[in-house]
Amino acid sequence: MFAFGYDEYLLHAFPKDELRPISCTGHNSQGGVGLTLVDALDSLVVMNSPAKLRRAVQWLCQSLAFDVDARVHVFEVTIRALGGLLSTHVMLEREPSAVPGYNGCLLRLAVDLADRLLPAFDTASGIPLSWIHLQKGVLPDETRFTCTACAVTLLLEFGTLSRLTGNQMYEQKAKHAMKRVFGMRSPVTGLVGNTLHTDNQEWLRKDSGIGAGIDSFYEYLLKAYLVFGEVEYLDMFTKVYISAMHGLRLKLLASAPPDSPPPPPWLADADMDTGKLAQPWISSLSAFWPGLQALAGQVEDAKKLLAAWVYAWTQFDGLPDLFDMSASERHPLQKGYPLRPELMESTYLLYAATRDPTLLEVGRTLQATLAEGNKQKCGYAAVADVSTGELEDSMESFLSETSKYLYLLHADAADLPDHYIFSTEGHLLPPFQMANGQQPSANTTMQSASSSYWDWWIPNFGNWLPHTPPADDVGRLDAAIDISETASEAAAVQCAQMCRNVSAAEASKRQHLLQSVLPLVPLPAHDAILLRQRRCTACLQVSASMVQSATSLLPVGTVDGFQQCSASPDGICPADIMQTQAGLVERRFICLLEVQQDKLQCSQYQEIQLAAEMSSLPNNALVLQQRPTQVSQTTLYSLSFLGSENLHLAVGATFGQSLQEAGQCGPACLGDSICNLLGKLHHVKMPELLAIFNSKTCKAFSRNLSCWCKACFWSAMANNGYECVHMHCRGNHHC
């Protein structure tokens, strides 16, 4: 399949960018730089075509030039040309015999191309423009808006270029753009929009999703961690992944009948601020998601979603750009299948994670459909309309991605993701050591499930939740450990296969078998150690965070009207921290509720800087949200309260009544409202709520400084009291 398409491209289209497989002609899409050849370069390595590889590298080094009079798309040229050059350069440097005499010319071409793309970053925000002229830079009156994916899907390629050249500028610019877009997430849902203005950072389209225009925003955060090892990328990915899974996955309405079947596992498009459904269509580009889940160790979710995608493929004999949620109708306009690789990629990556032979059958089905319906005289043609089978005279990215993933499936190259990460264009990129040069131990193994992973990969919100109980209050329930220990134990089970110890003998055997099917691909053993460790860490963090986020925040009440803010003079509550600085500022504060002196009080009270930190909170966390408004030059504030699902269900209407009373307290002072609320909480009859907090009974289990009670539950068997059901031990102590 690959060989036929590649040979036909060289015969009928080269050195133009693209092949037209029906008319047997070529055309230029990105300046006439032989784009298909560059894009398919590392496929020649994967598919063991040394003679074709040598001829291709020779032509590129002697004839390719990017000094052309052409306006090109920054995203497309980066992922296809820059990625293809860098991937092949890395493999040729590691395996010089593949192209004898190779002198690094592909890297020099990559530097020249990247330098021509750099002016796109010269915007007020540092978020790059979508288009650049290869000779003239940014043209006058160039469009100033871009899609989310277009803005951030430069990170792997520019970061790899920095690691290979030592010039940090490339990675710094791409990383800055990623962090800028990450910072534009909705404070309500944590989601990003589709299209933004590169100068003022305003969203032009607020529809969110994981498909067209946004897809690789998620993909490149996880893969940037796997390639570069910087935990910052993993932390960002964890937050946006949880936001997507909670904000985009279909759910039954509360009004649905009890016997309603579960909704299909699609992640749909929704408004980034309200979470309301934006359109009733599923984007075929989002078929990459199960593969991303497999990389992150979310295998069970990946299986369910991939099954839906395979069903859709069989319904349409391909995947139309958009189709309805029942996979029975294609979109009336976006109805074609342009040979996209996402389903093949997900099938391969899930097979690599599970070795499920059923997925090999899926691969055969996908390949058979293409062989029977898309093969033409001069290549493989895209589908213009899946309902009629009408074809379109184009074959874009087929050689670099679609055929590559099918080949890897059939070659049973399941261990390749232990050595390389695939870019969004299917190019193989190696893992790099972190800047400090730290390497993992060769004995990469998962710790005992009884150990705490919390201190191993502490996420960002670990900065404001305690990691160990204070010595002067050993009876106090440590909220962070309570929720994190349960979550990390669940994560340890979920990630057991990904994190299992691979002995040196097994690793050598697996590498030998992989080398036998991919003889030209260099497979350094230390890369496998590095990637296995990072994938294990990613699995543990994402899995534990998903468990934590199951206690999702729900609005549990709102103080009626507006409260004029002033500092509380009595000092009995933290009103001073609510004193707002000049200007309209929306602020959030966390209260960790615990029983102290027989009253339910805030054991900790601290401001939260990022709304995203609210995606994962302990069961006993109450968030106070302060929203400003300007009325006649006076700043007034509304106060609302957010709590975990457990808190919401346990307190119910009684807590809502306390909120109403809190809103009527004192001299209409916001701080006094909070104090009044917290002062009333201990009068609320709510044993189910108190069961997850401290109690005298549980304190009796926690006198020893080496052990403390992590979880208390109300139990009729304990004389209607509280019983410690989960002890935690410090160090090597046993409870």
Side-chain angles (χ1 to χ4, degrees):
M1 182 176 278
F2 170 84
F4 173 67
Y6 182 81
D7 290 344
E8 292 299 310
Y9 164 74
L10 291 181
L11 182 62
H12 300 289
F14 179 75
K16 292 184 177 179
D17 290 332
E18 316 288 355
L19 169 67
R20 288 182 170 140
I22 298 176
S23 61
C24 300
T25 59
H27 71 103
N28 290 327
S29 61
Q30 302 295 332
V33 294
L35 188 59
T36 293
L37 178 67
V38 181
D39 203 9
L41 206 55
D42 67 347
S43 295
L44 295 171
V45 180
V46 170
M47 299 190 192
N48 193 28
S49 302
K52 293 177 181 179
L53 176 65
R54 291 164 189 163
R55 288 195 295 270
V57 171
Q58 181 181 19
W59 181 87
L60 291 171
C61 293
Q62 294 178 355
S63 305
L64 179 60
F66 292 109
D67 185 19
V68 294
D69 183 11
R71 176 177 177 261
V72 300
H73 198 271
V74 175
F75 167 83
E76 286 291 332
V77 170
T78 296
I79 65 172
R80 297 185 66 187
L82 187 59
L85 292 170
L86 293 172
S87 173
T88 310
H89 167 76
V90 167
M91 289 191 282
L92 294 185
E93 285 284 300
R94 291 177 163 190
E95 186 54 65
S97 63
V99 178
Y102 174 69
N103 61 5
C105 60
L106 299 181
L107 180 60
R108 291 193 291 275
L109 286 168
V111 170
D112 178 52
L113 175 58
D115 287 345
R116 295 176 186 277
L117 300 178
L118 283 178
F121 289 90
D122 295 336
T123 63
S125 66
I127 297 174
L129 300 171
S130 287
W131 296 89
I132 197 78
H133 194 283
L134 289 176
Q135 288 181 335
K136 303 173 184 178
V138 178
L139 297 176
D141 301 322
E142 184 60 86
T143 179
R144 309 298 292 184
F145 28 92
T146 187
C147 74
T148 297
C150 301
V152 302
T153 314
L154 316 175
L155 185 55
L156 287 187
E157 290 79 7
F158 275 66
T160 297
L161 184 59
S162 284
R163 306 300 170 109
L164 295 176
T165 63
N167 186 345
Q168 297 304 310
M169 174 184 59
Y170 303 111
E171 183 174 0
Q172 289 170 356
K173 287 184 176 292
K175 183 177 183 178
H176 173 81
M178 174 66 86
K179 294 178 72 172
R180 281 279 191 166
V181 174
F182 178 82
M184 294 173 64
R185 293 166 299 138
S186 166
V188 179
T189 66
L191 299 172
V192 294
N194 187 291
T195 307
L196 58 98
H197 198 288
T198 58
D199 292 320
N200 60 26
Q201 292 185 255
E202 290 183 359
W203 290 109
L204 301 179
R205 283 180 54 187
K206 288 196 168 187
D207 49 310
S208 186
I210 60 169
I214 306 177
D215 47 5
S216 44
F217 165 70
Y218 298 96
E219 179 185 4
Y220 267 37
L221 281 173
L222 175 61
K223 292 182 177 179
Y225 166 70
L226 296 176
V227 172
F228 305 128
E230 296 184 18
V231 177
E232 181 180 15
Y233 294 130
L234 178 57
D235 290 340
M236 289 192 287
F237 171 74
T238 302
K239 290 181 179 180
V240 299
Y241 178 80
I242 290 173
S243 295
M245 292 299 288
H246 287 315
L248 302 175
R249 192 160 47 176
L250 297 178
K251 307 174 185 68
L252 284 176
L253 296 174
S255 58
D259 57 348
S260 299
W266 306 120
L267 278 72
D269 289 358
D271 183 277
M272 65 175 285
D273 289 326
T274 67
K276 293 182 179 179
L277 188 68
Q279 63 169 347
W281 305 100
I282 302 300
S283 168
S284 65
L285 281 169
S286 59
F288 83 98
W289 196 259
L292 189 72
Q293 290 178 310
L295 276 181
Q298 309 306 294
V299 172
E300 294 306 314
D301 283 340
K303 288 178 180 178
K304 296 174 185 176
L305 186 54
L306 186 70
W309 281 109
V310 173
Y311 173 76
W313 176 279
T314 59
Q315 289 294 98
F316 297 111
D317 282 334
L319 290 178
D321 281 326
L322 294 174
F323 56 90
D324 73 326
M325 294 180 186
S326 65
S328 59
E329 297 289 338
R330 50 89 170 135
H331 191 276
L333 298 178
Q334 300 184 51
K335 53 191 177 183
Y337 169 58
L339 302 180
R340 285 191 172 131
E342 286 77 17
L343 182 53
M344 292 74 175
E345 175 188 10
S346 284
T347 303
Y348 167 68
L349 290 175
L350 187 55
Y351 174 71
T354 64
R355 306 302 202 272
D356 183 352
T358 305
L359 296 171
L360 298 179
E361 293 300 321
V362 171
R364 294 186 185 97
T365 299
L366 302 177
Q367 184 171 358
T369 301
L370 296 175
E372 295 169 8
N374 300 82
K375 188 175 182 179
Q376 297 296 296
K377 180 181 179 181
C378 300
Y380 289 85
V383 180
D385 186 344
V386 296
S387 63
T388 64
E390 176 188 355
L391 297 179
E392 183 178 335
D393 200 5
S394 67
M395 191 185 79
E396 185 176 310
S397 295
F398 180 77
L399 301 179
S400 64
E401 298 186 84
T402 306
S403 59
K404 180 186 292 176
Y405 289 122
L406 289 174
Y407 177 84
L408 291 172
L409 262 174
H410 295 309
D412 200 7
D415 286 320
L416 188 57
D418 279 354
H419 296 267
Y420 293 92
I421 294 299
F422 295 92
S423 75
T424 197
E425 187 66 13
H427 297 305
L428 280 65
L429 298 175
F432 293 92
Q433 295 183 40
M434 295 187 63
N436 59 15
Q438 290 182 348
Q439 285 254 51
S441 165
N443 226 356
T444 301
T445 182
M446 185 178 68
Q447 299 178 17
S448 165
S450 63
S451 300
S452 172
Y453 290 101
W454 190 253
D455 295 324
W456 190 21
W457 53 262
I458 296 171
N460 286 342
F461 60 81
N463 294 331
W464 53 267
L465 288 180
H467 305 309
T468 55
D472 59 350
D473 189 11
V474 295
R476 201 187 70 168
L477 174 65
D478 188 307
I481 291 181
D482 177 41
I483 187 69
S484 67
E485 288 280 329
T486 302
S488 56
E489 287 169 5
V493 174
Q494 181 166 335
C495 303
Q497 178 62 29
M498 183 170 286
C499 295
R500 74 179 185 87
N501 181 46
V502 177
S503 67
E506 181 184 355
S508 177
K509 180 180 178 180
R510 288 165 58 171
Q511 182 175 342
H512 176 76
L513 292 174
L514 183 62
Q515 197 74 78
S516 68
V517 297
L518 303 175
L520 284 185
V521 178
L523 303 171
H526 60 79
D527 281 3
I529 296 172
L530 201 58
L531 269 181
R532 280 197 291 267
Q533 183 202 45
R534 289 175 184 172
R535 289 173 61 196
C536 170
T537 303
C539 179
L540 291 167
Q541 173 157 330
V542 174
S543 300
S545 296
M546 283 295 291
V547 173
Q548 292 171 337
S549 67
T551 57
S552 56
L553 290 173
L554 297 173
V556 295
T558 303
V559 173
D560 294 332
F562 290 99
Q563 309 289 335
Q564 186 171 0
C565 184
S566 63
S568 175
D570 52 23
I572 63 170
C573 69
D576 55 327
I577 200 170
M578 296 298 295
Q579 182 66 38
T580 304
Q581 305 300 319
L584 296 178
V585 181
E586 181 176 323
R587 303 174 72 183
R588 293 176 179 84
F589 304 82
I590 186 170
C591 163
L592 294 184
L593 293 169
E594 296 179 15
V595 177
Q596 294 182 351
Q597 299 178 349
D598 296 325
K599 293 182 180 181
L600 191 60
Q601 300 178 357
C602 290
S603 65
Q604 290 191 44
Y605 192 84
Q606 188 167 342
E607 183 164 6
I608 306 174
Q609 298 297 330
L610 297 176
E613 291 170 357
M614 297 197 303
S615 65
S616 209
L617 286 176
N619 289 338
N620 58 329
L622 179 68
V623 173
L624 299 89
Q625 184 167 269
Q626 171 186 304
R627 295 181 181 276
T629 187
Q630 191 77 30
V631 179
S632 301
Q633 298 183 341
T634 300
T635 302
L636 302 179
Y637 295 85
S638 63
L639 188 63
S640 59
F641 301 84
L642 298 165
S644 71
E645 184 175 6
N646 287 348
L647 187 65
H648 178 263
L649 295 176
V651 178
T654 307
F655 190 53
Q657 178 63 35
S658 291
L659 289 173
Q660 292 180 7
E661 295 174 0
Q664 302 168 3
C665 76
C669 161
L670 182 66
D672 284 345
S673 296
I674 298 169
C675 296
N676 187 279
L677 167 68
L678 300 179
K680 288 178 178 291
L681 285 179
H682 72 277
H683 295 299
V684 178
K685 305 297 183 184
M686 43 184 176
E688 293 86 358
L689 173 65
L690 293 176
I692 62 174
F693 304 147
N694 280 352
S695 71
K696 289 183 177 179
T697 303
C698 280
K699 287 182 181 179
F701 287 89
S702 304
R703 297 301 184 189
N704 191 322
L705 291 179
S706 300
C707 303
W708 64 95
C709 185
K710 294 196 312 175
C712 299
F713 289 90
W714 185 84
S715 172
M717 297 180 63
N719 298 319
N720 292 328
Y722 297 98
E723 182 178 11
C724 183
V725 296
H726 197 172
M727 297 292 292
H728 181 83
C729 307
R730 180 184 287 114
N732 295 321
H733 293 278
H734 298 280
C735 301

